[in-house]
Amino acid sequence: MRVMVVGNGGREHALAWKLKQSPRIKRLWIAPGNAGTAQEGENVPIGADDIRGLVAFAKKESVDLVVVGPELPLSLGLVDALGEERIRAFGPSRAAAQLESSKVFCKLLLRQADVPTAECQIFRDVESATRYIKSRYANDRERTPLVVKADGLASGKGVIVCSYRDEVLDAIDRIGRKQEFGRAGAQMVIEERLEGPEVSVLAITDGRTIVPLPSAQDHKAAYDGDTGPNTGGMGAYSPTPIMTDELLETVQDKILVPSIHAMKRNRKPFRGVLYAGLMLTASGPKVLEYNVRFGDPECQPLLMRLKSDLLDLLEATVDGNLDSIDAPEWDPRPAICVVMASAGYPGSYETGSEITGLDAADKVTDVKVFHAGTQLKDGKVLTSGGRVLGVTAMGTSLANAKLQAYKGVQAIRWPGAWCRKDISDKAATYIEQLAAE
Ligand code: AMP
Ligand code: GLY
């Protein structure tokens, strides 16, 4: 088979690495890819948002399957455009991708499907949102535990968690009037602020059959102990003890199944990876958001644990026959991914530093270094992004996997490189909590 992966992050490197292990792969392209994906297949210099360019390339090379990594091309309709040319693609249609690209669409679907989520109000302009808040809360310092969200894609920003009325009014102003998140702010959602630990559940679905993936947990805050600004994700591990079998069953029955059925009923069948961002509240799991793709970095430890052929799984999803293949097999050993970032990330950072020690890191037992923000130049690997590498390891225990991953990290150098030191430490706290219950 001739397969093309679209995207250039750590997730796409992991997808390419795993796909390459399939005996059925004949050619593998990554558009645009990074220095790491170039080790797995052939990089093609076409941007992930260049829909026309991607379709033309897939046609020219008679690509049999396109695997779309990030949300932007999905929301721009890449899967639909490929479909018009009879090219098969893994990922939801543009209409189904609205689950991630429009928070308003997502909230309306959750409401229709009676899926637990934060209570919300939807607004189309600053005035009505401001009026609503002022009518319900008397003064600026009144406690107002609400979250204001811009409707559209805003690269993980566009969500402002508030405690007091003045913060809510300021958030409405930033999203609606100042348009800090661009057109994403044309509509906004104001919802109740929920409390509890956050966890993600990912499932592969062909629109009818749902195959949940093992649990994984991201670390969104920049610094140790979940402090500092929000990032795209500083590390992840799988499985997480917080997701018990019982909880996973609840999530399937009360959240995933009704959501996917509602999408089908609305004639927007969902095919691909459905990623539920959940908060485990005192009254059960509630949906914070849906993503319509693999999480990055959750994808890296998950794919390291996948023993089955990824290509079989993706093809069955695209062809709508997930019910006819064997359930995927997972390595019971835990895996962890530690993200190494550029100095300054998630704020502004410099690029172009030479990275050394990559071979030594890859030689550490059970370690694989997935590249994210890297670029090949004159035979050297240079930094080219904020999140640069995802050093991923599997181990007989989570502690052992962590040790191996950080051994890998220690071998790698570039000026200003840093990472969180506590990836997966949360697991121990959850085990203590579960034992105490
Ligand atoms: P989202 O992109 O909607 O997942 O929001 C990004 C982050 O904002 C989440 O990972 C949560 O930490 C936080 N968040 C979003 N919605 C809520 C909510 N209703 N209550 C509390 N925190 C929230
Ligand atoms: N790791 C969070 C995300 O991919 O959105």
Side-chain angles (χ1 to χ4, degrees):
M1 287 231 333
R2 302 159 70 83
V3 176
M4 173 160 78
V5 174
V6 174
N8 66 348
R11 164 182 51 210
E12 288 75 24
H13 186 187
L15 285 166
W17 168 80
K18 188 64 199 169
L19 282 168
K20 189 187 160 192
Q21 295 167 21
S22 169
R24 293 194 295 125
I25 292 270
K26 283 231 171 60
R27 295 275 298 267
L28 180 62
W29 293 276
I30 305 93
N34 57 40
T37 61
Q39 300 162 0
E40 321 295 346
E42 301 162 59
N43 284 354
V44 188
I46 305 174
D49 58 351
D50 179 0
I51 306 302
R52 276 214 203 153
L54 292 167
V55 174
F57 181 85
K59 247 173 96 173
K60 175 168 80 84
E61 291 291 350
S62 310
V63 171
D64 299 303
L65 179 72
V66 176
V67 180
V68 189
E71 60 277 20
L72 186 58
L74 293 168
S75 73
L76 293 175
L78 177 56
V79 172
D80 313 62
L82 289 164
E84 278 165 25
E85 300 293 340
R86 301 192 166 277
I87 300 165
R88 295 188 303 160
F90 178 84
S93 65
R94 178 188 188 137
Q98 288 179 93
L99 269 184
E100 175 166 0
S101 66
S102 167
K103 303 239 184 239
V104 171
F105 177 93
C106 179
K107 292 301 287 196
L108 293 175
L109 184 105
L110 293 172
R111 198 181 277 174
Q112 180 198 349
D114 205 15
V115 169
T117 184
E119 288 296 324
C120 81
Q121 299 279 334
I122 294 163
F123 297 97
R124 291 198 163 69
D125 59 86
V126 182
E127 292 71 30
S128 55
T130 307
R131 224 178 307 125
Y132 170 79
I133 293 299
K134 286 191 172 164
S135 70
R136 300 203 40 174
Y137 302 91
N139 66 69
D140 273 352
R141 293 318 284 167
E142 181 167 344
R143 269 199 66 75
T144 310
L146 295 175
V147 182
V148 189
K149 300 184 174 187
D151 176 52
L153 290 182
S155 313
K157 301 178 186 109
V159 172
I160 305 173
V161 180
C162 307
S163 301
Y164 295 98
R165 193 184 86 159
D166 55 350
E167 292 168 5
V168 178
L169 294 174
D170 185 54
I172 293 170
D173 194 55
R174 286 174 60 196
I175 291 173
R177 193 181 58 80
K178 294 190 190 135
Q179 308 241 311
E180 278 183 32
F181 310 100
R183 285 194 17 207
Q187 292 190 79
M188 64 185 103
V189 171
I190 302 185
E191 67 181 29
E192 72 178 306
R193 178 172 162 183
L194 305 172
E195 304 285 344
E198 278 185 63
V199 60
S200 354
V201 174
L202 284 77
I204 291 191
T205 174
D206 60 6
R208 289 183 301 141
T209 306
I210 301 172
V211 178
L213 308 186
S215 61
Q217 192 173 38
D218 188 11
H219 294 62
K220 282 194 177 141
Y223 310 131
D224 286 15
D226 283 343
T227 55
N230 240 339
T231 70
M234 293 304 294
Y237 68 101
S238 167
T240 169
I242 200 168
M243 188 46 72
T244 58
D245 290 346
E246 195 189 348
L247 184 56
L248 187 60
E249 210 164 290
T250 309
V251 171
Q252 272 234 72
D253 295 350
K254 298 260 171 10
I255 293 175
L256 298 177
V257 170
S259 299
I260 285 164
H261 282 172
M263 290 297 283
K264 193 162 163 233
R265 268 202 313 278
N266 293 351
R267 306 231 174 114
K268 296 182 179 68
F270 189 92
R271 282 189 181 168
V273 178
L274 186 63
Y275 166 134
L278 306 173
M279 194 162 260
L280 306 180
T281 72
S283 52
K286 294 191 177 180
V287 176
L288 291 178
E289 64 164 346
Y290 272 132
N291 292 326
V292 298
R293 48 166 177 88
F294 283 106
D296 186 345
E298 293 95 318
C299 186
Q300 289 83 315
L302 281 173
L303 290 186
M304 187 169 258
R305 294 186 58 213
L306 178 62
K307 287 167 85 174
S308 321
D309 189 325
L310 177 63
L311 186 56
D312 292 347
L313 194 60
L314 301 186
E315 262 201 301
T317 309
V318 173
D319 296 341
N321 52 23
L322 261 181
D323 56 347
S324 66
I325 63 161
D326 292 336
E329 261 190 81
W330 300 92
D331 198 311
R333 288 176 294 169
I336 141 171
C337 170
V338 177
V339 170
M340 296 181 72
S342 297
Y345 177 79
S348 59
Y349 50 82
E350 283 180 9
T351 59
S353 298
E354 185 183 353
I355 306 171
T356 58
L358 286 165
D359 288 342
D362 265 328
K363 285 200 187 98
V364 178
T365 314
D366 292 325
V367 166
K368 170 75 189 172
V369 181
F370 292 118
H371 291 224
T374 70
Q375 187 195 346
L376 265 182
K377 203 165 178 198
D378 306 325
K380 290 178 178 163
V381 179
L382 307 182
T383 63
S384 67
R387 293 192 294 171
V388 177
L389 301 169
V391 184
T392 309
M394 198 151 64
T396 46
S397 63
L398 192 55
N400 184 256
K402 182 182 172 193
L403 193 70
Q404 295 307 101
Y406 281 98
K407 270 190 207 164
V409 167
Q410 270 176 356
I412 298 170
R413 296 263 184 285
W414 77 85
W418 65 278
C419 66
R420 270 181 70 158
K421 302 288 189 297
D422 65 344
I423 301 303
S424 81
D425 288 358
K426 284 183 208 180
T429 353
Y430 298 141
I431 291 169
E432 279 165 25
Q433 279 168 10
L434 287 170
E437 272 170 17

